[in-house]
Amino acid sequence: VSFNMSFSAIMEIYEHIKKYKVDGFIFTKADETLKRGVIINVLANINDIPLYYITNGQKVPHNIMNATPSNLAKILLE
């Protein structure tokens, strides 16, 4: 899902996919928005699907990061 999506849109997607075996989330397009806090709300409300990766730029795979606490902090505070 994209960082620039609303919380309600992400939760709607979650409601559709939770019945399938989904290994984890990838949050994309961090570079396209300054409002990145939606990720905190999503992670607080969805406990059964982990966040694995974050993308921050157009140069794939260079801009793919593991969703570690330090990388999350970096993205949120950038």
Side-chain angles (χ1 to χ4, degrees), residues 36-68:
R36 299 176 182 152
V38 69
I39 195 170
I40 300 299
N41 293 333
V42 170
L43 295 175
N45 284 277
I46 298 175
N47 298 321
D48 56 338
I49 301 176
L51 175 65
Y52 284 130
Y53 299 101
I54 304 164
T55 68
N56 187 29
Q58 304 300 315
K59 296 178 183 170
V60 176
H62 177 72
N63 295 122
I64 297 175
M65 301 181 287
N66 287 321
T68 63

Side-chain angles (χ1 to χ4, degrees), residues 1-2 5-27 38-39 41-51:
V1 294
S2 174
M5 293 177 73
S6 69
F7 174 75
S8 58
I10 295 170
M11 293 306 292
E12 186 176 331
I13 290 169
Y14 169 72
E15 288 301 318
H16 290 288
I17 66 169
K18 71 180 184 180
K19 59 188 168 197
Y20 302 103
K21 175 153 177 27
V22 176
D23 291 333
F25 277 113
I26 298 173
F27 264 77
V38 69
I39 195 170
N41 293 333
V42 170
L43 295 175
N45 284 277
I46 298 175
N47 298 321
D48 56 338
I49 301 176
L51 175 65

